[in-house]
Amino acid sequence: MPHDDPDHPHSLLPSDPALRVRALETVLTRKGLIDPAALDAIIDTYENRIGPRNGARVVARAWCDPGFHAALMEDATAVVSDMGYYGRQGEHMVAVENTEAVHNMVVCTLCSCYPWPLLGIPPTWYKSDAYRARAVREPRKVLAEFGVTLPEATAVRVWDSTAEVRYLVVPQRPAGTEGMDEEALMDLVTRDSMIGTGLAVSP
Ligand code: FE
């Protein structure tokens, strides 16, 4: 099989599905049937808006409501299911909370397990070999590349997702948000802050 030979020139091309998608996109664009900017907007919607908004609501509510917070930490699967966030890739959820003492970060070292009903589809970097290997080996370095520098005293705990268990990071509530309600707080909860590669945004 020439395609399996690393020295064969074809191996420089993307894998078959990626190649087909790119070829299809090129043809459709040339024919004026699709607009690449519109495609990017659609992908952005699923990757950054619809999905993570669900998780952001969970986090914002946990920040506002101590009873909800306690229930979420106790049994996240039940709590998020009650909110309608369940289904494929979200069957067994565990919430882990960031504090001054510990920062949690999520990876799937084996593949790309991710809590779809709460966060949408995983970003490309989450599925990359580099993130999957380095998140475990050198988490602080990876965090620094995401722009997150933690105090030395803060421990970093890395959680390995599986098909059995997926994690939601509850980031620390930023200072100066005391008067904000759930809706307003949601805007501060980024996707990356719920993976642990980011922090909640300060208002
Ligand atoms: Fe996986």
Side-chain angles (χ1 to χ4, degrees):
M1 289 279 289
H3 287 92
D4 294 336
D5 176 2
D7 296 326
H8 190 280
H10 283 182
S11 63
L12 297 173
L13 294 171
S15 64
D16 274 353
L19 190 61
R20 286 176 184 210
V21 169
R22 199 164 303 168
L24 197 57
E25 187 178 342
T26 304
V27 171
L28 291 170
T29 305
R30 284 219 187 110
K31 287 182 180 288
L33 293 173
I34 57 165
D35 172 5
L39 276 189
D40 289 345
I42 292 167
I43 291 166
D44 177 67
T45 299
Y46 281 97
E47 208 170 80
N48 299 311
R49 290 168 216 281
I50 295 177
R53 294 294 286 172
N54 294 347
R57 182 170 293 286
V58 173
V59 170
R61 193 166 294 175
W63 284 346
C64 294
D65 178 344
F68 179 88
H69 173 266
L72 179 72
M73 301 314 294
E74 176 74 28
D75 185 353
T77 308
V79 169
V80 302
S81 296
D82 279 350
M83 294 170 76
Y85 308 148
Y86 57 87
R88 245 185 109 223
Q89 308 254 350
E91 291 90 348
H92 304 285
M93 288 301 310
V94 171
V96 291
E97 185 175 30
N98 288 348
T99 64
E100 292 297 324
V102 61
H103 179 92
N104 297 281
M105 181 176 165
V106 182
V107 64
C108 175
T109 56
L110 272 183
C111 45
S112 57
C113 297
Y114 191 76
W116 288 23
L118 291 176
L119 299 187
I121 57 173
T124 309
W125 56 259
Y126 185 83
K127 300 183 274 187
S128 70
D129 292 343
Y131 178 75
R132 285 160 45 205
R134 296 182 58 227
V136 176
R137 221 169 35 217
E138 43 188 17
R140 277 182 193 274
K141 214 164 166 185
V142 172
L143 285 174
E145 287 164 25
F146 276 92
V148 176
T149 312
L150 300 168
E152 274 302 314
T154 304
V156 179
R157 192 174 295 162
V158 180
W159 299 87
D160 194 359
S161 302
T162 64
E164 300 299 318
V165 182
R166 283 140 217 264
Y167 300 92
L168 173 73
V169 174
V170 179
Q172 283 189 276
R173 180 171 177 164
T177 58
E178 291 72 18
M180 294 172 70
D181 64 9
E182 185 180 308
E183 288 297 319
L185 288 169
M186 277 177 70
D187 291 336
L188 310 179
V189 185
T190 63
R191 177 195 66 199
D192 288 5
S193 75
M194 294 181 281
I195 303 174
T197 52
L199 304 177
V201 178
S202 284

